[in-house]
Amino acid sequence: MRLDINLASQPYQNLRNFWTQWIIGLSALGLVTLGLLVYTARELMSAHRDQKAIQTIQDSIDALTNRETTARSFLNEPDNRNTRDRSQFLNDLFHRKAFSWTQVFQDLERVMPPKLHVLSIHPELTKTDQLEIKLQVGGDNHDHALELVKKMEESKHFQETQINQESRALSGTGDAVQFDITALYVPEAPAPVTAPATANAGGTQ
């Protein structure tokens, strides 16, 4: 039997290659889509865990804030104000007893650049019961004040040192500029007290 095919009206197509490529393309697209879905699901789960952790921390902060507010309200009541004021006075007294002017000046002398000098110094107790030193120093330029701040930060006795204000010095003082500096002061830890040696009760013959 003879079969005539007119290729001009019915061109030959390789359908097997077409379907093979189409299936491969769909498979690749499906794998990419699956990978994106898995990645998105993991990110959503991670974001949910982070949000839960943040909420837990926020709840703890809110609880502490409420406790602080309740405690302050309790201490501000008329019947408790004397106790509050006495406690604050005792805390101030204890911190001021721990404050040694001699030690502070010695610590400042170690970090003070040659062309700067102290004009005034004032210790103050912060709300967190830390000793804050307010310094006013005089010198001839800004760089020396920056050097002082750097040395104070490198010292174990000063923390959070910063220049709050810079102004021109009054005439007749011999200084070109003056600086207001604050820093938290960490006193030297007291030496441990050792108990005196006790004599031998029995003695020796």
Side-chain angles (χ1 to χ4, degrees):
M1 179 179 177
R2 182 178 178 181
L3 181 63
D4 294 330
I5 299 177
N6 189 350
L7 295 180
S9 61
Q10 297 180 353
Y12 173 76
Q13 295 181 0
N14 191 345
L15 295 180
R16 178 177 295 179
N17 290 339
F18 170 77
W19 287 109
T20 301
Q21 294 176 1
W22 189 73
I23 292 173
I24 292 175
L26 282 180
S27 300
L29 182 61
L31 289 176
V32 172
T33 303
L34 180 61
L36 290 175
L37 289 175
V38 172
Y39 175 78
T40 303
R42 288 182 178 178
E43 289 298 314
L44 288 175
M45 293 176 62
S46 178
H48 179 71
R49 288 194 298 267
D50 293 342
Q51 185 64 35
K52 189 175 181 180
I54 292 173
Q55 187 61 45
T56 301
I57 295 173
Q58 186 62 48
D59 291 342
S60 299
I61 294 174
D62 293 341
L64 291 174
T65 302
N66 291 334
R67 289 177 59 184
E68 181 182 6
T69 302
T70 302
R72 288 184 181 275
S73 299
F74 177 77
L75 291 175
N76 286 331
E77 292 178 1
D79 295 340
N80 300 322
R81 287 179 181 173
N82 289 335
T83 303
R84 179 200 63 188
D85 294 341
R86 187 180 305 167
S87 175
Q88 184 64 38
F89 172 76
L90 291 175
N91 287 334
D92 292 347
L93 183 62
F94 293 150
H95 281 87
R96 291 186 183 278
K97 278 192 172 184
F99 184 82
S100 170
W101 284 105
T102 303
Q103 186 63 45
V104 171
F105 279 113
Q106 288 178 353
D107 295 334
L108 282 174
E109 186 178 1
R110 296 188 186 99
V111 299
M112 188 69 62
K115 295 186 178 181
L116 281 182
H117 57 276
V118 177
L119 299 175
S120 65
I121 180 172
H122 175 67
E124 190 173 280
L125 198 62
T126 67
K127 294 181 179 180
T128 56
D129 291 338
Q130 292 179 292
L131 280 172
E132 183 180 61
I133 302 295
K134 294 186 176 181
L135 287 173
Q136 187 179 54
V137 298
D140 55 0
N141 61 59
H142 181 77
D143 292 339
H144 291 146
L146 293 179
E147 182 182 356
L148 172 60
V149 170
K150 180 180 178 181
K151 288 184 176 180
M152 290 177 70
E153 278 296 295
E154 293 173 350
S155 169
K156 62 181 181 179
H157 296 296
F158 300 98
Q159 300 175 357
E160 300 182 18
T161 308
Q162 58 182 351
I163 300 175
N164 295 320
Q165 185 176 355
E166 177 180 348
S167 58
R168 290 188 175 275
L170 299 175
S171 59
T173 60
D175 299 318
V177 287
Q178 294 179 353
F179 306 92
D180 293 338
I181 298 175
T182 57
L184 296 179
Y185 180 67
V186 182
E188 189 78 35
V193 178
T194 56
T198 56
N200 190 350
T204 57
Q205 298 294 332

